[in-house]
Amino acid sequence: MSTSTATAVACPNIAFIKYWGNRDQALRLPENGSISMNLAELETRTRVTFDTTFPLDMFDLNGKRQSGPALDRVIKHLNLLRGLRGISTHAHIFSENNFPTGAGIASSASGFAALTLATVSALGLEISEVDLSRLARRGSGSACRSIPAGFTEWQKGINDLDSFAFSLAAPDYWNLADCIAVIEEEEKKTSSTEGHALASTSPLQAARVADSIRRLEICRNAIQKRDFDALAAIIELDSNMLHAVMMTSRPALYYWEPASLNLIKAVQSWRKTGLGVACTLDAGPNVHVIFEASDTEKITQRIKTFPGVRDVILCHTGDKTHLL
Ligand code: PMV
C-alpha cells in the first residue's frame, strides 16, 4: 500500500471586472480578462489523500458524500492532475467551507483552487504559481484568480499556456472590505458554467467584451493609485454590463431580486452623500458592497438593517492559496 496526502486552504474572490463567456468552453479560456479581490475570512479547506487501496474516488463536501455532477466535475479535475504524473491511483477528497453552504456565495473558485494545490502536492509535483493558476482555471475559471494573493488579474491569454492570473497588489496594499448582503440563501438556479455558454446569445456580449480592455485598464489604475472613486465607478459599470448581457441572453437570466435592486439604488444614494461605497453582483442576487475598511462601522450598520437583507458577511482582502 502506498498513501500520500496534502491539505490546502483557498479563499473565494469577488470580481471587479467580470469574466462571462468562454472562447473555449472545455479549456475555460475566457472571452475577456478579469480582475478580482480575494476574500479573507472565507475559506475552503481541502485534504486530498491518494491511496493505492482505494477502489474509487470519494468526495466529501461539508461532511456529505457527493455523487452525480458534483463528483463527476471533481473526478474530471483529478484526472487532469493525475495525468501530469501518469498515475491512476484513486483519491479521497475531504473539503469544508467555513462559510454557510447555500448562502449564495460561490465556492467553486475557492473549491477548485484548494483542490488543485492539495492534489498537486499530494502527487509530489513542484509547480509554479502560474501553472497552478492555469490548472485551477480548468476546474472553474474564476478559481485561477484565487491562486495568487490579494488583488489579482486573469489575463485572457491566447491559449492554455498563457491564460492565468497573477497578483496586481498584495492584500495589505489597500485595506478594502466587502460586506456581502445575503438576500437569498438558496443555490442559484442557473450555474455559472451554464451561464457562460449562453453569453454569446446576447447581442450585448460583443460590446461588453470589446470594451473590456478599457475597463481593465481603469480598474488596474484605480487599484494601483488606491483611487476609490475611480474603482467605484468602474466596478458598478462592469457589474451592470454583465447583468445586461445576462438579461438579454436567450433564455434571459435574471439574477437580481427586488431587494438587490433596492440596495444597489441605496448604495448610489449613500455615495451621493459623500460616502466611499460601491456595489457589484456576480451570478446571484447577493450584493457585494465594497468600501475602505475604515468605514466599516458606518456602512455595515446600514446594510444589516436594510429591508430584505437576511444576513451580512464581512470580508477583507485575502491571501493566496496555500498549503497547511
Ligand atoms: O468561475 P465561474 O465559472 O464560477 O464563473 C464566475 C462568473 C462570475 O462570478 C459571474 C464573474 C467572475 O468573474 O467571477
Coordinates of all heavy atoms in Angstrom, one line a residue, residues 7-86:
T7 N -3.0 19.1 2.4 CA -4.2 19.9 2.7 C -3.9 21.3 2.2 O -2.8 21.9 2.5 CB -4.5 19.9 4.2 OG1 -4.7 18.5 4.6 CG2 -5.7 20.7 4.5
A8 N -4.8 21.9 1.6 CA -4.6 23.3 1.1 C -5.9 24.2 1.5 O -7.0 23.7 1.7 CB -4.5 23.4 -0.4
V9 N -5.6 25.5 1.6 CA -6.6 26.4 2.0 C -6.7 27.5 0.9 O -5.7 28.0 0.5 CB -6.3 27.1 3.4 CG1 -7.4 28.1 3.7 CG2 -6.2 26.1 4.5
A10 N -7.9 27.9 0.5 CA -8.1 28.9 -0.5 C -9.3 29.8 -0.1 O -10.2 29.3 0.5 CB -8.3 28.3 -1.9
C11 N -9.2 31.1 -0.6 CA -10.4 32.0 -0.4 C -11.1 32.1 -1.7 O -10.5 32.0 -2.8 CB -10.0 33.4 0.0 SG -8.5 33.8 0.8
P12 N -12.4 32.4 -1.6 CA -13.1 32.8 -2.9 C -12.7 34.2 -3.3 O -11.8 34.8 -2.6 CB -14.6 32.7 -2.5 CG -14.6 32.8 -1.0 CD -13.3 32.4 -0.4
N13 N -13.2 34.7 -4.3 CA -12.9 36.1 -4.7 C -14.1 36.8 -5.2 O -15.1 36.1 -5.7 CB -11.7 36.1 -5.8 CG -12.1 35.4 -7.0 OD1 -13.0 35.9 -7.8 ND2 -11.5 34.2 -7.3
I14 N -14.1 38.1 -5.2 CA -15.2 38.9 -5.8 C -14.6 39.6 -7.0 O -13.6 40.3 -6.9 CB -15.9 39.9 -4.8 CG1 -16.9 40.7 -5.5 CG2 -14.9 40.8 -4.1 CD1 -18.1 39.9 -6.1
A15 N -15.2 39.4 -8.2 CA -14.7 40.1 -9.4 C -15.1 41.5 -9.5 O -16.2 41.9 -9.2 CB -15.3 39.3 -10.6
F16 N -14.1 42.4 -9.8 CA -14.3 43.8 -10.0 C -14.6 44.0 -11.5 O -15.4 44.8 -11.9 CB -13.1 44.6 -9.6 CG -12.9 44.7 -8.1 CD1 -11.7 45.2 -7.5 CD2 -13.9 44.4 -7.2 CE1 -11.5 45.3 -6.2 CE2 -13.8 44.5 -5.8 CZ -12.5 44.9 -5.3
I17 N -13.8 43.3 -12.3 CA -14.1 43.3 -13.8 C -14.4 41.8 -14.0 O -13.6 40.9 -13.7 CB -12.9 43.7 -14.6 CG1 -12.5 45.2 -14.2 CG2 -13.2 43.6 -16.1 CD1 -13.5 46.2 -14.5
K18 N -15.6 41.5 -14.5 CA -16.2 40.2 -14.5 C -15.8 39.3 -15.7 O -15.6 39.9 -16.8 CB -17.7 40.2 -14.5 CG -18.4 41.1 -13.5 CD -18.3 40.6 -12.1 CE -19.1 41.5 -11.2 NZ -19.0 41.1 -9.8
Y19 N -15.7 38.0 -15.5 CA -15.5 37.0 -16.5 C -16.9 36.5 -16.9 O -17.6 36.0 -16.0 CB -14.5 36.0 -16.0 CG -14.7 34.5 -16.4 CD1 -14.7 34.1 -17.7 CD2 -14.9 33.6 -15.4 CE1 -14.8 32.8 -18.0 CE2 -15.1 32.2 -15.7 CZ -15.0 31.8 -17.0 OH -15.2 30.5 -17.3
W20 N -17.2 36.5 -18.1 CA -18.5 35.9 -18.5 C -18.4 35.5 -20.0 O -18.3 36.3 -20.9 CB -19.7 36.9 -18.3 CG -21.0 36.3 -18.3 CD1 -22.1 36.5 -19.2 CD2 -21.5 35.3 -17.3 NE1 -23.2 35.7 -18.8 CE2 -22.9 35.0 -17.7 CE3 -21.0 34.7 -16.2 CZ2 -23.7 34.1 -17.0 CZ3 -21.8 33.8 -15.5 CH2 -23.1 33.6 -15.9
G21 N -18.5 34.2 -20.2 CA -18.3 33.7 -21.6 C -16.9 33.1 -21.9 O -16.0 33.8 -21.5
N22 N -16.9 32.0 -22.5 CA -15.6 31.3 -22.8 C -15.5 31.3 -24.3 O -16.4 31.1 -25.1 CB -15.6 29.9 -22.3 CG -15.5 29.8 -20.8 OD1 -14.6 30.5 -20.2 ND2 -16.4 29.0 -20.2
R23 N -14.2 31.5 -24.8 CA -14.0 31.2 -26.2 C -13.6 29.8 -26.5 O -13.8 29.3 -27.6 CB -12.9 32.2 -26.8 CG -11.8 32.4 -26.0 CD -10.9 33.6 -26.6 NE -9.5 33.2 -26.6 CZ -8.8 33.2 -25.5 NH1 -9.3 33.7 -24.4 NH2 -7.5 32.8 -25.5
D24 N -13.2 29.1 -25.4 CA -13.1 27.6 -25.4 C -13.6 27.1 -24.2 O -13.1 27.3 -23.1 CB -11.6 27.3 -25.6 CG -11.3 25.8 -25.7 OD1 -12.0 25.0 -25.1 OD2 -10.5 25.4 -26.5
Q25 N -14.8 26.5 -24.3 CA -15.6 26.0 -23.1 C -14.8 24.9 -22.4 O -14.7 24.9 -21.1 CB -16.9 25.5 -23.6 CG -18.0 25.4 -22.5 CD -18.6 26.7 -22.1 OE1 -18.3 27.8 -22.6 NE2 -19.6 26.6 -21.1
A26 N -14.2 24.0 -23.1 CA -13.5 22.9 -22.5 C -12.3 23.3 -21.7 O -12.0 22.9 -20.6 CB -13.1 21.8 -23.5
L27 N -11.5 24.2 -22.3 CA -10.3 24.7 -21.6 C -10.6 25.9 -20.7 O -9.7 26.4 -20.0 CB -9.2 25.1 -22.7 CG -8.6 24.0 -23.5 CD1 -7.7 24.6 -24.6 CD2 -7.7 23.1 -22.5
R28 N -11.8 26.4 -20.7 CA -12.2 27.6 -19.9 C -11.2 28.7 -20.2 O -10.6 29.3 -19.4 CB -12.2 27.3 -18.4 CG -13.4 26.3 -18.1 CD -13.5 26.1 -16.6 NE -14.3 24.9 -16.2 CZ -15.6 24.8 -16.1 NH1 -16.3 25.9 -16.1 NH2 -16.2 23.7 -15.8
L29 N -11.1 29.0 -21.6 CA -10.4 30.2 -22.0 C -11.4 31.3 -22.1 O -12.3 31.2 -22.9 CB -9.7 29.9 -23.3 CG -8.6 28.9 -23.3 CD1 -8.0 28.6 -24.7 CD2 -7.4 29.3 -22.4
P30 N -11.3 32.4 -21.4 CA -12.3 33.4 -21.3 C -12.4 34.3 -22.5 O -11.4 34.5 -23.2 CB -11.9 34.2 -20.0 CG -10.4 34.1 -20.1 CD -10.1 32.8 -20.6
E31 N -13.5 34.9 -22.7 CA -13.7 35.9 -23.8 C -12.9 37.2 -23.4 O -12.5 37.9 -24.3 CB -15.2 36.3 -23.9 CG -16.0 35.2 -24.5 CD -16.0 35.3 -26.0 OE1 -15.3 36.0 -26.6 OE2 -16.9 34.5 -26.6
N32 N -12.8 37.5 -22.1 CA -12.2 38.7 -21.7 C -11.4 38.5 -20.4 O -11.7 37.5 -19.7 CB -13.2 39.9 -21.5 CG -14.2 39.6 -20.4 OD1 -15.2 38.8 -20.6 ND2 -14.0 40.1 -19.2
G33 N -10.4 39.4 -20.2 CA -9.6 39.3 -18.9 C -10.5 39.8 -17.8 O -11.6 40.4 -18.0
S34 N -10.1 39.5 -16.5 CA -10.9 39.9 -15.4 C -10.0 40.3 -14.2 O -8.8 39.9 -14.2 CB -11.9 38.8 -15.0 OG -11.3 37.6 -14.8
I35 N -10.5 41.0 -13.3 CA -9.8 41.4 -12.1 C -10.6 41.2 -10.8 O -11.9 41.4 -10.9 CB -9.4 42.9 -12.1 CG1 -8.4 43.2 -13.2 CG2 -8.9 43.4 -10.8 CD1 -8.0 44.6 -13.4
S36 N -10.0 40.7 -9.8 CA -10.8 40.4 -8.6 C -10.0 40.6 -7.3 O -8.8 40.9 -7.4 CB -11.4 39.0 -8.6 OG -10.3 38.1 -8.6
M37 N -10.7 40.5 -6.2 CA -10.1 40.7 -4.9 C -10.4 39.4 -4.1 O -11.6 38.9 -4.1 CB -10.7 41.9 -4.1 CG -10.3 42.0 -2.7 SD -11.0 43.6 -2.0 CE -12.1 42.9 -0.7
N38 N -9.3 38.7 -3.5 CA -9.6 37.6 -2.7 C -10.3 38.0 -1.4 O -10.0 39.1 -0.9 CB -8.3 36.9 -2.4 CG -7.7 36.1 -3.6 OD1 -8.4 35.9 -4.6 ND2 -6.4 35.7 -3.5
L39 N -11.1 37.1 -0.9 CA -11.9 37.4 0.3 C -11.4 36.6 1.5 O -11.7 35.4 1.6 CB -13.4 37.1 0.0 CG -14.0 37.9 -1.1 CD1 -15.4 37.4 -1.4 CD2 -14.0 39.4 -0.8
A40 N -10.7 37.3 2.3 CA -10.2 36.7 3.6 C -11.4 36.4 4.4 O -12.5 36.9 4.1 CB -9.2 37.6 4.3
E41 N -11.2 35.7 5.5 CA -12.3 35.3 6.4 C -13.1 34.1 5.8 O -13.5 33.2 6.6 CB -13.2 36.4 6.8 CG -12.6 37.4 7.8 CD -12.1 38.6 7.1 OE1 -12.3 38.7 5.8 OE2 -11.5 39.5 7.7
L42 N -13.3 34.1 4.5 CA -14.0 32.9 3.9 C -12.9 32.0 3.4 O -11.9 32.4 2.8 CB -14.9 33.4 2.7 CG -15.9 34.5 3.0 CD1 -16.7 34.7 1.8 CD2 -16.7 34.1 4.2
E43 N -13.1 30.7 3.7 CA -12.1 29.8 3.1 C -12.7 28.4 2.9 O -13.6 27.9 3.5 CB -10.9 29.6 4.0 CG -11.2 29.1 5.4 CD -10.0 28.9 6.3 OE1 -9.1 29.8 6.3 OE2 -9.9 27.8 6.9
T44 N -12.1 27.7 1.9 CA -12.3 26.3 1.6 C -11.0 25.6 2.0 O -9.9 26.0 1.7 CB -12.6 26.0 0.1 OG1 -13.7 26.7 -0.2 CG2 -12.8 24.5 -0.1
R45 N -11.1 24.5 2.8 CA -10.0 23.7 3.3 C -10.2 22.3 2.7 O -11.2 21.7 2.9 CB -10.1 23.7 4.8 CG -8.9 23.2 5.5 CD -9.1 23.4 7.0 NE -8.8 24.8 7.4 CZ -7.9 25.2 8.3 NH1 -7.3 24.3 8.9 NH2 -7.7 26.5 8.5
T46 N -9.2 21.9 2.0 CA -9.4 20.6 1.2 C -8.2 19.7 1.5 O -7.0 20.1 1.3 CB -9.5 20.9 -0.3 OG1 -10.7 21.7 -0.5 CG2 -9.7 19.6 -1.1
R47 N -8.5 18.5 1.9 CA -7.4 17.5 2.1 C -7.6 16.4 1.0 O -8.7 15.9 0.8 CB -7.6 16.8 3.5 CG -6.4 15.9 3.9 CD -6.6 15.2 5.2 NE -7.7 14.3 5.2 CZ -8.7 14.2 6.1 NH1 -8.6 15.0 7.2 NH2 -9.6 13.3 6.0
V48 N -6.5 16.1 0.4 CA -6.6 15.1 -0.7 C -5.6 14.0 -0.3 O -4.5 14.2 0.0 CB -6.1 15.7 -2.1 CG1 -6.0 14.6 -3.1 CG2 -7.0 16.8 -2.5
T49 N -6.2 12.7 -0.3 CA -5.3 11.6 0.0 C -5.4 10.6 -1.1 O -6.5 10.2 -1.5 CB -5.9 10.9 1.3 OG1 -5.9 11.9 2.4 CG2 -5.0 9.7 1.7
F50 N -4.2 10.3 -1.6 CA -4.2 9.2 -2.7 C -3.8 7.9 -1.9 O -2.8 7.9 -1.1 CB -3.1 9.5 -3.7 CG -3.5 10.6 -4.7 CD1 -3.1 11.9 -4.5 CD2 -4.3 10.2 -5.8 CE1 -3.5 12.9 -5.4 CE2 -4.7 11.2 -6.7 CZ -4.3 12.5 -6.5
D51 N -4.4 6.8 -2.3 CA -4.1 5.6 -1.6 C -4.3 4.4 -2.6 O -5.4 4.4 -3.2 CB -5.0 5.4 -0.4 CG -4.5 4.2 0.5 OD1 -4.3 3.1 -0.1 OD2 -4.4 4.4 1.7
T52 N -3.3 3.6 -2.8 CA -3.4 2.6 -3.9 C -4.5 1.5 -3.5 O -4.9 0.7 -4.4 CB -2.1 1.9 -4.1 OG1 -1.5 1.6 -2.8 CG2 -1.1 2.7 -4.8
T53 N -5.0 1.5 -2.3 CA -6.0 0.6 -1.9 C -7.4 1.1 -2.1 O -8.4 0.4 -2.0 CB -5.9 0.1 -0.4 OG1 -6.2 1.3 0.4 CG2 -4.5 -0.4 -0.1
F54 N -7.6 2.4 -2.4 CA -8.9 2.9 -2.6 C -9.5 2.4 -4.0 O -8.9 2.4 -5.0 CB -8.9 4.5 -2.8 CG -8.6 5.2 -1.5 CD1 -8.2 6.5 -1.5 CD2 -8.8 4.6 -0.2 CE1 -7.9 7.2 -0.4 CE2 -8.6 5.3 0.9 CZ -8.1 6.6 0.9
P55 N -10.7 1.8 -3.9 CA -11.3 1.2 -5.1 C -11.9 2.3 -6.1 O -12.1 2.0 -7.2 CB -12.5 0.4 -4.6 CG -12.8 1.0 -3.3 CD -11.6 1.7 -2.7
L56 N -12.2 3.5 -5.5 CA -12.7 4.6 -6.4 C -12.4 5.9 -5.7 O -11.9 6.0 -4.6 CB -14.2 4.4 -6.6 CG -15.1 3.8 -5.5 CD1 -15.4 4.9 -4.5 CD2 -16.4 3.3 -6.1
D57 N -12.8 7.0 -6.5 CA -12.6 8.4 -5.9 C -13.8 8.7 -5.0 O -14.9 8.4 -5.4 CB -12.5 9.4 -7.1 CG -11.3 9.2 -7.9 OD1 -10.2 9.0 -7.3 OD2 -11.4 9.4 -9.1
M58 N -13.5 9.4 -3.9 CA -14.6 9.8 -3.0 C -14.4 11.2 -2.7 O -13.3 11.7 -2.6 CB -14.5 9.0 -1.7 CG -14.8 7.5 -1.8 SD -14.1 6.6 -0.4 CE -12.4 6.6 -0.7
F59 N -15.6 11.9 -2.6 CA -15.5 13.4 -2.4 C -16.6 13.7 -1.3 O -17.8 13.5 -1.5 CB -15.9 14.1 -3.7 CG -16.1 15.6 -3.6 CD1 -15.3 16.4 -2.7 CD2 -16.9 16.2 -4.5 CE1 -15.5 17.7 -2.7 CE2 -17.1 17.6 -4.4 CZ -16.4 18.3 -3.5
D60 N -16.1 14.2 -0.2 CA -16.9 14.6 0.9 C -16.9 16.2 1.0 O -15.8 16.7 1.1 CB -16.5 14.1 2.3 CG -16.6 12.6 2.4 OD1 -17.6 12.1 1.8 OD2 -15.8 11.9 3.0
L61 N -18.1 16.8 0.9 CA -18.1 18.3 1.0 C -19.0 18.6 2.2 O -20.1 18.2 2.2 CB -18.7 18.8 -0.3 CG -18.9 20.4 -0.4 CD1 -17.6 21.1 -0.2 CD2 -19.6 20.8 -1.7
N62 N -18.4 19.4 3.1 CA -19.1 19.8 4.3 C -19.8 18.5 5.0 O -20.9 18.6 5.4 CB -20.1 20.8 4.0 CG -19.5 22.1 3.5 OD1 -18.4 22.5 3.9 ND2 -20.2 22.7 2.5
G63 N -19.0 17.5 5.1 CA -19.4 16.3 5.8 C -20.4 15.4 5.0 O -20.9 14.4 5.6
K64 N -20.7 15.8 3.7 CA -21.7 15.0 3.0 C -21.0 14.3 1.8 O -20.4 15.0 1.0 CB -22.8 15.9 2.5 CG -24.2 15.3 2.8 CD -25.3 16.2 2.4 CE -26.2 15.5 1.4 NZ -27.0 16.4 0.6
R65 N -21.1 13.0 1.6 CA -20.6 12.3 0.5 C -21.3 12.7 -0.8 O -22.5 12.8 -0.8 CB -20.7 10.8 0.7 CG -20.2 9.8 -0.3 CD -18.7 9.9 -0.5 NE -17.8 9.8 0.6 CZ -17.2 8.8 1.2 NH1 -17.5 7.6 0.6 NH2 -16.4 8.9 2.2
Q66 N -20.5 13.1 -1.8 CA -21.1 13.7 -3.0 C -21.2 12.6 -4.1 O -20.4 11.7 -4.2 CB -20.2 14.8 -3.5 CG -20.0 16.0 -2.6 CD -21.3 16.7 -2.3 OE1 -21.9 17.3 -3.2 NE2 -21.6 16.8 -1.0
S67 N -22.2 12.8 -5.0 CA -22.3 11.9 -6.1 C -22.8 12.8 -7.3 O -23.0 14.0 -7.1 CB -23.4 10.8 -5.8 OG -24.6 11.5 -5.4
G68 N -23.1 12.2 -8.4 CA -23.6 12.9 -9.6 C -22.7 14.0 -10.1 O -21.5 13.8 -10.0
P69 N -23.3 15.1 -10.6 CA -22.5 16.1 -11.3 C -21.3 16.7 -10.5 O -20.3 16.9 -11.0 CB -23.5 17.1 -11.7 CG -24.8 16.5 -11.7 CD -24.7 15.4 -10.7
A70 N -21.6 16.8 -9.1 CA -20.6 17.4 -8.3 C -19.3 16.5 -8.2 O -18.2 17.0 -8.3 CB -21.1 17.7 -6.9
L71 N -19.6 15.2 -8.1 CA -18.5 14.2 -8.0 C -17.8 14.2 -9.4 O -16.6 14.2 -9.5 CB -19.0 12.9 -7.6 CG -18.0 11.7 -7.6 CD1 -16.9 11.9 -6.6 CD2 -18.7 10.4 -7.3
D72 N -18.6 14.1 -10.5 CA -18.0 14.0 -11.8 C -17.1 15.1 -12.1 O -16.0 14.9 -12.7 CB -19.2 14.0 -12.9 CG -20.0 12.7 -12.7 OD1 -19.6 11.8 -12.0 OD2 -21.2 12.8 -13.3
R73 N -17.5 16.4 -11.7 CA -16.7 17.5 -12.0 C -15.3 17.4 -11.3 O -14.3 17.8 -11.9 CB -17.4 18.8 -11.6 CG -16.8 20.1 -12.1 CD -17.7 21.2 -11.9 NE -17.0 22.5 -12.2 CZ -17.6 23.7 -12.0 NH1 -18.8 23.8 -11.5 NH2 -16.9 24.8 -12.2
V74 N -15.3 17.0 -10.1 CA -14.1 16.8 -9.3 C -13.2 15.7 -9.9 O -12.0 15.8 -10.0 CB -14.5 16.6 -7.8 CG1 -13.3 15.9 -7.0 CG2 -14.9 17.9 -7.2
I75 N -13.9 14.6 -10.3 CA -13.1 13.5 -10.9 C -12.4 13.9 -12.2 O -11.3 13.6 -12.4 CB -14.0 12.2 -11.1 CG1 -14.4 11.7 -9.8 CG2 -13.2 11.2 -11.9 CD1 -15.3 10.4 -9.8
K76 N -13.1 14.7 -12.9 CA -12.6 15.2 -14.2 C -11.3 16.1 -13.9 O -10.3 15.9 -14.6 CB -13.6 16.1 -14.9 CG -13.3 16.5 -16.3 CD -14.5 17.1 -17.0 CE -14.0 17.7 -18.3 NZ -14.7 18.9 -18.7
H77 N -11.4 16.9 -12.8 CA -10.2 17.7 -12.5 C -9.1 16.8 -11.9 O -7.9 17.0 -12.3 CB -10.6 18.7 -11.5 CG -9.7 19.9 -11.4 ND1 -9.4 20.7 -12.5 CD2 -8.9 20.4 -10.4 CE1 -8.5 21.6 -12.1 NE2 -8.2 21.4 -10.8
L78 N -9.4 15.8 -11.1 CA -8.4 14.9 -10.6 C -7.7 14.2 -11.7 O -6.5 14.0 -11.7 CB -9.1 13.8 -9.7 CG -9.3 14.1 -8.3 CD1 -10.0 12.9 -7.7 CD2 -8.0 14.3 -7.5
N79 N -8.5 13.8 -12.8 CA -7.9 13.1 -13.9 C -6.9 13.9 -14.6 O -5.8 13.5 -15.0 CB -9.0 12.6 -14.9 CG -9.8 11.4 -14.3 OD1 -9.3 10.8 -13.4 ND2 -11.0 11.2 -14.8
L80 N -7.2 15.2 -14.8 CA -6.3 16.1 -15.4 C -5.0 16.2 -14.6 O -3.9 16.1 -15.2 CB -6.9 17.5 -15.5 CG -6.0 18.7 -15.9 CD1 -5.8 18.7 -17.4 CD2 -6.7 20.1 -15.5
L81 N -5.1 16.3 -13.3 CA -3.9 16.4 -12.4 C -3.1 15.1 -12.3 O -1.9 15.1 -12.4 CB -4.3 17.0 -11.1 CG -5.0 18.3 -11.1 CD1 -5.5 18.7 -9.7 CD2 -4.2 19.4 -11.7
R82 N -3.9 14.0 -12.2 CA -3.2 12.7 -12.2 C -2.4 12.4 -13.4 O -1.4 11.8 -13.4 CB -4.3 11.6 -12.0 CG -4.7 11.3 -10.6 CD -5.5 10.0 -10.5 NE -6.9 10.3 -11.0 CZ -8.0 10.1 -10.2 NH1 -7.9 9.7 -9.0 NH2 -9.2 10.4 -10.7
G83 N -3.0 12.9 -14.5 CA -2.3 12.8 -15.8 C -0.9 13.4 -15.8 O 0.0 12.9 -16.6
L84 N -0.7 14.4 -15.0 CA 0.6 15.0 -15.0 C 1.7 14.1 -14.4 O 2.9 14.3 -14.7 CB 0.6 16.3 -14.2 CG -0.4 17.4 -14.6 CD1 -0.5 18.5 -13.6 CD2 0.0 18.0 -16.0
R85 N 1.2 13.1 -13.6 CA 2.1 12.2 -13.0 C 2.0 10.8 -13.7 O 2.8 9.9 -13.4 CB 1.8 12.0 -11.5 CG 2.5 12.9 -10.5 CD 4.0 12.7 -10.6 NE 4.5 11.4 -10.1 CZ 4.8 11.1 -8.9 NH1 4.7 12.0 -7.9 NH2 5.3 9.9 -8.6
G86 N 1.1 10.7 -14.6 CA 0.9 9.5 -15.3 C 0.4 8.3 -14.4 O 0.8 7.2 -14.5

